[in-house]
Amino acid sequence: MLLKPLRGGRFGLGIFSPSTIIDARMNYLNELNEKQQEAVLATEGPLLVLAGAGSGKTKTITHRIVHLIHAGVAPRNILAVTFTNKAAKEMRERAMDLIRRFPGSARSLDDGSVLVTTFHSLGVRILREFHEAAGLRRHFTIYDRADSVRAIKAALEATGYDPKEFEPRKILSMISRAKGDALSRDDFADSAASYPERVAAEVWERYEERLRDDHALDFDDLLLKTLRLLQSNPAVRQTLQDRWRYIHIDEYQDTNRVQYEIARILAGERRNICVVGDIDQSIYSWRGADIKNVLQFEKHFPQAQTILLEENYRSTKTIIEASNKVIEKNKNRVPKTVFTQNDTGEKITLFAGFSGAHEAEYVAMSAKKLIETGAAASDIAVLFRTNFQSRALEEAFLNMDVPYQVLGVKFFERKEVKDVLSYLRLALNPGSTADLARVINMPARGIGPSTVLKILEGKRDELKSAVLNKVEAFDTMMMDIADSARTEKLSQTLKFIIGRTGIEMHLKKNGTEEDLERLENLRELVSLATRYDEMGPEEAVEALLEDAALQSDQDEIKDKEEKDAVRLMTVHAAKGLEFPYVFITGLEEGLFPHQRLDEKGIDEEEERRLFYVALTRAGKKLWLTYAHSRVIYGSSGVNLPSSFLSDIDETLLEIDGAAKGRGQERRGGLLDDWDDDLPTISL
């Protein structure tokens, strides 16, 4: 058979013989278990598929699509929506492969193609097709986040507010969250309870003016404008409801209010909507995801059918039992018990290091042993709760010559780290123009590009007095930093830079998830610097800068040349991925679960769901690690093991004591204050 991929996330059907079709109809359902078959065959009316981790949800969706085609549904009448381009690509390829092996009904030949896409791509498609009805140009511009931040900054200034007082990213975050909740600017303004929210409402108006002037939409507009179009234009609404008669929504637990409303409207009176998700893997509330969309599906779509996919094909019985024990402690969920017919597998290894560095060394050494015994490096994943943890891990993997790849930005390549190192370099090398240009207005202190250019050109005498005063204040600050760099321990100098430059106040004031992550990375930089404190001050600065440069270069080479490499990533980044071998690190109270539970309103149940996601990434073998002490912001303290660990039955664990045979100290095993539910290990 000929399969013809088409543009725009579609795939089409080629020509095949009726005899092939008959054979296909007899065989393709045999690839599914009983519950998967039930979901595939339930084609009419609303359907909620609660799919446990590793239960084959993508397989189920793709088979359902092919089954609809076999039943005579025109491919062009089928829509499948997910959240990422990667997920859409995978679903599209698997559906295409299935169609190759099991060609569909002759009645579907030459009758369009299935659309598999993301929510945002769907919004772009609809708005471009119906641009006149939406009041848009056909070729409107799409603002990325950087464009939006710049536009918000301009809107702040135009409204009379100081961008240094009201951080543009924070204002944008408030507007974005409101758009995701399907609120208009007026709705948001009416409900604004705080002064920053009232400022955001006022700035929003100017921001929209800027978008209109540029004939642009931001990411949130792609969905909100689509929803408004569907709500206000009956002709467009009917056209799309008739076009997509069978709708599939993947990762439904991650949908926000706007995405739910779009799906509900497109389903229309036919209500042929199939949503697939897992409440236990809902980890994006901070992005606006609303778990109630799953919990209230049967209320939103009366007479909906619910099917549980509970058989896991990924993990061993040991890993599944442990993950079940963890997640069953959550109350806000639909009860289900994931099971597997896989082997029992190895016990979960629990390791406690003396320190964060010791923990990292253990992980790197364990990964190296796996590779030496025949495992592919790319089959190994190391997961952590927050980005700063990657620094010690990167160093350990480099020292042991274990190929690795960081998913995300490597520690010394992170903006905030590079900013502080630039201040450090500039303090001892005032002639470094690149460092000067990088930090002279970071954080913003009213020194613009034209001023910087004049400084670099040696034209300070041309500066106006107000600007010159700002530049001289910067010079004074740099002299203070230089004095510290020449006389104080390196860790103290870095603390001084972070405070004296205003970086710490800037990040704390913004208070966004991203900014707090940046602050944690800077604290990790200070912790790293303590190892250089025994050197002379200037020697320590040179050693740190050299080490940072060399590690960055080496990491870059590894990223380009080492395709078979251990993956280092946050748990959030690991969502949707799977690996035979997984290490979950930093399992300490205050780190995982995170200490910002109270101060940032992070849901404890969501933290537990995040741990569940981490556990269920593993197929063959799982390691859980923590450190008795971890240096954070230059200070070391004793850590309590994560409370989540006490949820795992002791019979599923094996203890890899870090200090076995090294005296009477109870280090490297379990602490004396370990939860009573777990055994006490004597070393």
Side-chain angles (χ1 to χ4, degrees):
M1 161 190 146
L2 297 175
L3 186 72
K4 302 175 182 178
L6 304 177
R7 294 182 62 188
R10 296 176 178 267
F11 58 87
L13 303 174
I15 304 298
F16 42 82
S17 68
S19 62
T20 306
I21 296 168
I22 294 173
D23 292 338
R25 289 183 62 87
M26 293 175 60
N27 295 320
Y28 74 97
L29 290 176
N30 295 336
E31 299 185 345
L32 307 174
N33 65 35
E34 183 180 349
K35 287 296 182 180
Q36 290 172 335
Q37 288 186 24
E38 189 178 343
V40 166
L41 296 173
T43 58
E44 305 303 308
L47 174 65
L48 170 63
V49 180
L50 294 176
S55 62
K57 66 181 180 66
T58 302
K59 181 178 183 178
T60 302
I61 295 174
T62 53
H63 274 73
R64 194 174 192 272
I65 290 171
V66 173
H67 176 71
L68 286 167
I69 295 171
H70 281 215
V73 176
R76 62 181 175 84
N77 292 145
I78 303 172
L79 170 67
V81 185
T82 187
F83 276 82
T84 66
N85 290 319
K86 180 182 178 182
K89 181 175 182 289
E90 180 186 3
M91 189 180 296
R92 191 179 308 128
E93 290 175 347
R94 291 175 69 169
M96 290 170 66
D97 178 69
L98 195 59
I99 291 171
R100 284 191 187 98
R101 294 188 293 116
F102 304 105
S105 170
R107 289 180 295 172
S108 296
L109 297 180
D110 302 319
D111 202 2
S113 49
V114 178
L115 177 62
V116 184
T117 188
T118 65
F119 267 107
H120 287 92
S121 294
L122 179 66
V124 172
R125 175 184 292 272
I126 292 171
L127 292 175
R128 293 211 191 281
E129 181 177 352
F130 301 101
H131 62 278
E132 292 183 354
L136 302 169
R137 287 187 176 182
R138 173 70 175 85
H139 299 291
F140 55 81
T141 299
I142 300 173
Y143 270 14
D144 62 18
R145 182 169 175 80
D147 295 329
S148 293
V149 170
R150 284 192 291 268
I152 290 289
K153 182 181 179 182
L156 279 163
E157 293 171 341
T159 318
Y161 295 105
D162 187 350
K164 290 182 289 186
E165 182 179 359
F166 298 97
E167 168 58 34
R169 283 183 298 161
K170 191 171 183 178
I171 297 295
L172 177 62
S173 180
M174 285 189 279
I175 294 173
S176 177
R177 186 64 178 265
K179 287 183 176 181
D181 290 337
L183 297 177
S184 67
R185 191 201 72 84
D186 290 341
D187 293 334
F188 179 74
D190 291 342
S191 63
S194 65
Y195 182 57
E197 287 178 341
R198 291 193 289 273
V199 171
E202 190 175 349
V203 170
W204 189 344
E205 186 173 8
R206 291 297 183 94
Y207 176 56
E208 290 296 327
E209 290 176 1
R210 177 70 175 266
L211 287 167
R212 284 195 298 270
D213 290 344
D214 287 351
H215 302 285
L217 302 179
D218 63 18
F219 272 21
D220 300 296
D221 286 333
L222 296 177
L223 299 182
L224 185 58
K225 295 286 187 186
T226 297
L227 175 60
R228 299 295 188 234
L229 175 63
L230 293 172
Q231 290 173 328
S232 63
N233 195 303
V236 172
R237 183 168 63 246
Q238 190 65 54
T239 297
L240 295 177
Q241 288 173 346
D242 289 341
R243 178 181 301 172
W244 296 312
R245 302 185 179 200
Y246 293 86
I247 299 169
H248 304 76
I249 309 292
D250 192 17
E251 303 289 1
Y252 193 64
Q253 78 279 348
D254 294 335
T255 55
N256 60 19
R257 173 67 183 277
V258 168
Q259 290 159 340
Y260 153 70
E261 291 287 355
I262 290 173
R264 181 186 61 80
I265 291 174
L266 288 178
E269 295 182 359
R270 294 185 181 87
R271 301 191 311 144
N272 291 330
I273 180 170
C274 169
V275 304
V276 184
D278 185 6
I279 295 172
D280 296 334
Q281 297 187 67
S282 177
I283 59 175
Y284 291 118
S285 65
W286 51 277
R287 285 188 190 170
D290 192 347
I291 197 173
K292 293 195 297 291
N293 290 343
V294 176
L295 293 172
Q296 299 180 3
F297 184 82
E298 293 174 334
K299 178 182 177 182
H300 297 155
F301 297 92
Q303 289 83 51
Q305 183 177 354
T306 299
I307 296 174
L308 303 182
L309 300 185
E310 297 175 297
E311 183 172 359
N312 177 287
Y313 294 92
R314 175 187 304 159
S315 307
T316 64
K317 284 186 173 69
T318 297
I319 294 170
I320 293 301
E321 186 176 347
S323 59
N324 282 340
K325 290 290 186 182
V326 167
I327 201 61
E328 68 183 17
K329 296 295 181 68
N330 275 4
K331 297 178 180 179
N332 199 22
R333 62 189 294 264
V334 176
K336 67 176 185 296
T337 302
V338 176
F339 69 94
T340 185
Q341 298 184 44
N342 293 336
D343 294 337
T344 300
E346 299 181 53
K347 287 189 175 185
I348 298 168
T349 299
L350 180 65
F351 174 84
F354 306 147
S355 63
H358 188 206
E359 176 197 37
E361 290 170 2
Y362 172 81
V363 172
M365 179 60 71
S366 300
K368 186 171 186 173
K369 289 180 179 177
L370 279 172
I371 295 169
E372 289 174 347
T373 56
S378 57
D379 284 342
I380 306 169
V382 181
L383 310 184
F384 36 85
R385 175 62 179 85
T386 57
N387 278 309
F388 84 84
Q389 294 170 255
S390 77
R391 200 278 309 163
L393 290 164
E394 289 180 66
E395 181 173 329
F397 274 77
L398 282 170
N399 289 340
M400 296 191 186
D401 197 28
V402 180
Y404 76 93
Q405 201 172 32
V406 180
L407 271 65
V409 183
K410 291 178 284 295
F411 184 80
F412 284 113
E413 290 297 315
R414 291 169 185 154
K415 178 184 180 304
E416 61 278 8
V417 174
K418 294 177 73 171
D419 288 339
V420 171
L421 294 182
S422 279
Y423 273 113
L424 194 60
R425 277 192 296 269
L426 185 63
L428 298 183
N429 181 18
S432 176
T433 57
D435 289 313
L436 176 66
R438 181 180 183 94
V439 302
I440 193 170
N441 199 46
M442 202 304 300
R445 47 179 67 94
I447 303 175
S450 61
T451 301
V452 174
L453 184 61
K454 287 183 179 180
I455 293 171
L456 295 177
E457 293 176 346
K459 300 179 179 178
R460 289 195 176 207
D461 57 335
E462 297 180 9
L463 299 177
K464 295 180 179 179
S465 60
V467 176
L468 184 60
N469 289 337
K470 294 176 181 177
V471 173
E472 289 175 347
F474 176 81
D475 290 339
T476 301
M477 178 184 71
M478 289 308 305
M479 286 189 287
D480 292 341
I481 293 173
D483 288 341
S484 178
R486 293 188 178 99
T487 60
E488 302 290 339
K489 292 182 178 179
L490 179 57
S491 60
Q492 293 302 313
T493 296
L494 291 177
K495 281 186 180 180
F496 181 75
I497 292 173
I498 294 166
R500 178 71 170 86
T501 60
I503 293 175
E504 183 175 23
M505 183 181 296
H506 173 74
L507 295 175
K508 285 183 175 179
K509 182 180 178 181
N510 294 341
T512 65
E513 184 82 11
E514 182 182 0
D515 287 321
L516 294 174
E517 286 264 359
R518 293 181 184 279
L519 189 58
E520 288 183 346
N521 288 334
L522 293 181
R523 288 171 174 168
E524 176 65 5
L525 180 63
V526 174
S527 300
L528 168 64
T530 58
R531 71 176 58 179
Y532 301 87
D533 281 348
E534 297 302 315
M535 301 180 181
E538 292 191 46
E539 182 187 6
V541 172
E542 292 174 353
L544 173 63
L545 294 174
E546 181 178 329
D547 288 347
L550 291 176
Q551 286 195 21
S552 293
D553 289 342
Q554 191 169 354
D555 291 346
E556 186 176 353
I557 293 171
K558 286 186 177 288
D559 273 352
K560 290 178 179 178
E561 296 183 355
E562 294 286 358
K563 294 183 180 180
D564 185 27
V566 178
R567 308 309 195 223
L568 276 58
M569 70 191 86
T570 65
V571 181
H572 281 99
K575 174 84 165 22
L577 304 178
E578 60 183 86
F579 303 88
Y581 311 100
V582 172
F583 296 80
I584 306 174
T585 63
L587 287 166
E588 303 141 24
E589 283 296 297
L591 189 55
F592 200 177
H594 203 278
Q595 63 183 352
R596 296 202 299 272
L597 283 175
D598 293 330
E599 58 189 84
K600 293 297 295 179
I602 298 175
D603 186 359
E604 183 176 356
E605 289 206 352
E606 181 155 327
E607 281 290 291
R608 187 181 298 277
R609 290 195 294 268
L610 190 62
F611 183 47
Y612 174 79
V613 167
L615 292 170
T616 54
R617 297 313 90 196
K620 293 182 179 180
K621 173 67 180 178
L622 182 63
W623 288 260
L624 308 176
T625 71
Y626 71 96
H628 287 323
S629 68
R630 191 179 298 275
V631 179
I632 298 177
Y633 209 30
S635 301
S636 178
V638 177
N639 300 320
L640 296 176
S642 171
S643 56
F644 293 154
L645 292 174
S646 64
D647 298 335
I648 301 174
D649 195 302
E650 63 188 63
T651 61
L652 304 176
L653 300 172
E654 61 177 10
I655 311 301
D656 196 350
K660 285 183 178 178
R662 300 183 63 178
Q664 16 351 31
E665 290 184 274
R666 300 173 58 83
R667 303 187 301 173
L670 299 173
L671 294 176
D672 288 332
D673 55 9
W674 186 272
D675 193 288
D676 291 338
D677 292 339
L678 285 178
T680 298
I681 306 298
S682 298
L683 303 176

